């Protein structure tokens, strides 16, 4: 392993999609950047994600971030480079609650105004698109054909390799132990491998961001919440272009994963914490949701599964911005389940904020100080 540099213009803490995207965009802009990751790149939440990419949100900032990221994913093979197995088969939200139907109708109108080709569907149209879904109890659905999913690990490696080509330095297995300040300004980052002199820190530490903020007295209200995912055995006659399908009332979702299906669902009984083990406690509720919404999947065997961490904020929206003090502590965290899909656009935003220019998307409403002012901006379309 290369020795730890003694100095860097910008230090990025965290090597998931947010960190490597930020490092790439900064290095591409000519900034001397060092990324520090305590484990392997993408080993936190990114590698455990379901890989969904979408612009179907209710908040205009999330719509813009998702839409801009979708365009970046579409162009990924050229810039930064690499195959990410992008499948734009669409996102399909199945709706069984009248209030959700009204909310999605409003969201679709806003999405259309911002250029997203989403639309409301009848129940019959939805079940034709996603043939495992049954119509019982459904009222309507929302669909956007340009949404889809890709491979998170491939996205991380693509950004990391391109960042290195542009001169960024990436140090794995290098845990940050503290941030030094002098006279209200950041002067250094301390790690298990030594100290790096710097004036600017970008926190992209995901579920671990509260600890990093604590090094400089910045409150980043991010808490870890375990989510479990299963992958089935091969499914016979798997539809070739089945959308990422979500039963919105229960949060049960599935999409194709190789010859099988990737399946997930939230667990309302899950408590905040850094647990990454898998268990069977949630399977009863999942089985009920499968039996109700996609009963043909009930008899398909499970091949394997894993657990990852959502990084949850009080209003399920991200924290993106620069702290009032100490001077130059920036952050991009707390994405509450939609971080992977916003990674490309957030990398551009963080580049712009570091360089002191207006960001490509106005993220001022995502500033962490909104909670002190009670100006929360809840996102309705969370999974």
């Amino acid at each position: 392993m290369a020795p730890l540099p003694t100095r860097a213009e910008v230090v990025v803490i965290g090597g998931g999609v947010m960190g490597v995207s930020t490092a790439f965009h900064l290095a591409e802009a000519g900034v001397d950047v060092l990324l520090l990751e305590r484990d392997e790149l993408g080993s936190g939440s990114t590698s455990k994600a379901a890989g969904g990419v979408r612009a179907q949100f209710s908040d205009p900032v999330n719509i813009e971030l998702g839409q801009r990221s979708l365009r970046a994913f579409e162009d990924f093979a050229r810039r930064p480079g690499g195959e990410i197995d992008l499948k734009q088969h669409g996102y399909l939200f199945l709706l069984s609650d009248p209030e959700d139907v009204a909310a999605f109708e409003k969201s679709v109108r806003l999405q259309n105004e911002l250029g997203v080709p989403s639309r409301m569907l009848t129940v019959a149209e939805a079940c034709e698109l996603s043939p495992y879904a049954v119509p019982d109890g459904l009222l309507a659905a929302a669909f956007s054909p340009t949404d889809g999913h890709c491979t998170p690990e491939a996205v991380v490696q693509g950004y990391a390799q391109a960042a290195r080509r542009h001169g960024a330095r990436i140090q794995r297995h290098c845990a940050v132990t503290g941030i030094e300040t002098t006279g209200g300004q950041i002067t250094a980052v301390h790690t298990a491998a030594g100290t790096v002199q710097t004036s600017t820190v970008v926190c992209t530490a995901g579920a671990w961001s509260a600890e990093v903020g604590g090094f400089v007295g910045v409150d980043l209200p991010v808490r870890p919440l375990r989510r479990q995912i299963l992958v089935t055995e091969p499914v016979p006659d798997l539809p070739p272009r089945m959308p990422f399908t979500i039963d919105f009332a229960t949060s049960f979702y599935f999409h194709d994963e190789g010859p099988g299906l990737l399946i997930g669902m939230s667990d309302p009984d899950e408590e905040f914490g850094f647990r990454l083990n898998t268990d069977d406690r949630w399977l009863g509720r999942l089985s009920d949701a499968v039996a109700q919404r996609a009963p043909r999947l009930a008899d398909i065997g499970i091949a394997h599964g894993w657990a990852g961490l959502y990084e949850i904020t009080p209003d399920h929206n991200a924290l993106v911005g620069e702290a009032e003090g100490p001077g130059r502590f920036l952050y991009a965290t707390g994405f509450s389940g939609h971080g992977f899909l916003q990674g490309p656009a957030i990398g551009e935003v963080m580049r712009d904020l570091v360089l002191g220019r207006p960001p490509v998307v106005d993220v001022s409403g995502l500033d962490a100080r909104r909670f002190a002012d009670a100006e929360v901006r809840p996102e309705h379309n969370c999974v």
Side-chain angles (χ1 to χ4, degrees):
M1 184 182 296
L4 184 71
T6 59
R7 181 177 299 277
E9 190 178 351
V10 177
V11 172
V12 177
I13 301 175
V17 67
M18 293 298 162
V20 293
S21 175
T22 297
F24 163 71
H25 287 97
L26 283 169
E28 185 187 48
V31 176
D32 169 37
V33 59
L34 168 67
L35 184 147
L36 301 175
E37 163 57 44
R38 68 176 190 173
D39 198 343
E40 292 289 347
L41 296 179
S43 60
S45 298
T46 300
S47 65
K48 314 298 196 310
V53 293
R54 62 180 167 116
Q56 283 188 88
F57 287 97
S58 65
D59 184 294
V61 176
N62 287 331
I63 295 170
E64 290 188 64
L65 290 170
Q67 188 177 32
R68 191 173 186 90
S69 292
L70 275 173
R71 290 196 292 266
F73 286 127
E74 291 168 348
D75 193 39
F76 203 92
R78 183 189 67 84
R79 172 181 176 268
E83 173 54 54
I84 60 172
D85 196 27
L86 176 64
K87 295 182 179 179
Q88 289 179 285
H89 298 168
Y91 251 68
L92 178 68
F93 287 92
L94 305 175
L95 308 173
S96 54
D97 184 298
E99 291 185 2
D100 287 335
V101 174
F104 270 84
E105 288 173 340
K106 181 179 178 181
S107 294
V108 165
R109 287 193 293 271
L110 177 59
Q111 292 157 16
N112 292 167
E113 290 172 9
L114 295 172
V116 177
S118 55
R119 61 184 187 272
M120 298 298 294
L121 300 181
T122 65
V123 174
E125 289 171 327
C127 293
E128 184 176 352
L129 275 176
S130 187
Y132 293 116
V134 295
D136 305 7
L138 293 180
L139 301 175
F143 176 72
S144 184
T146 54
D147 293 346
H149 59 91
C150 58
T151 304
E153 296 90 339
V155 171
V156 168
Q157 292 304 322
Y159 274 132
Q161 291 167 14
R164 290 188 184 102
R165 288 197 300 271
H166 285 287
R169 292 164 291 178
I170 296 177
Q171 205 83 5
R172 296 169 300 136
H173 304 287
C174 187
V176 171
T177 57
I179 300 173
E180 187 175 325
T181 61
T182 304
Q185 299 297 314
I186 289 174
T187 54
V189 172
H190 298 298
T191 81
T195 296
V196 181
Q197 305 297 317
T198 188
S199 61
T200 304
V201 168
V202 180
C203 173
T204 56
W208 296 267
S209 294
E211 179 184 1
V212 176
F215 290 149
V216 289
V218 174
D219 181 24
L220 297 176
V222 176
R223 294 197 287 177
L225 186 69
R226 182 180 65 163
R227 292 289 291 265
Q228 298 189 67
I229 285 175
L230 301 174
V231 175
T232 72
E233 294 175 345
V235 178
D237 303 320
L238 191 65
R241 290 190 57 83
M242 186 177 64
F244 192 132
T245 303
I246 300 159
D247 185 43
F248 192 69
T250 62
S251 81
F252 159 54
Y253 64 82
F254 56 91
H255 70 66
D256 60 300
E257 183 79 1
L261 291 173
L262 182 149
I263 293 175
M265 181 176 163
S266 65
D267 180 358
D269 296 328
E270 187 69 42
E271 297 179 354
F272 291 107
F274 286 96
R275 292 178 304 280
L276 283 171
N277 63 301
T278 57
D279 59 40
D280 296 339
R281 190 188 66 185
W282 68 304
L283 293 181
R285 189 178 278 112
L286 174 64
S287 296
D288 291 343
V290 171
Q292 177 186 358
R293 186 53 57 217
R296 286 169 53 199
L297 302 181
D299 297 328
I300 297 173
I302 301 301
H304 61 95
W306 65 84
L309 296 175
Y310 269 22
E311 40 179 299
I312 303 292
T313 65
D315 63 2
H316 295 267
N317 255 315
L319 311 175
V320 183
E322 180 170 357
E324 282 184 309
R328 301 226 74 200
F329 181 83
L330 300 93
Y331 50 86
T333 184
F335 288 86
S336 304
H338 47 264
F340 169 67
L341 67 92
Q342 294 185 350
I346 289 294
E348 294 183 280
V349 166
M350 300 316 293
R351 172 202 62 203
D352 294 342
L353 292 177
V354 167
L355 294 175
R357 62 196 195 194
V360 292
V361 176
D362 180 5
V363 293
S364 56
L366 299 180
D367 192 290
R369 286 165 287 191
R370 69 182 183 269
F371 297 109
D373 301 329
E375 292 181 4
V376 297
R377 48 185 308 145
E379 169 58 52
H380 179 265
N381 299 3
C382 291
V383 181

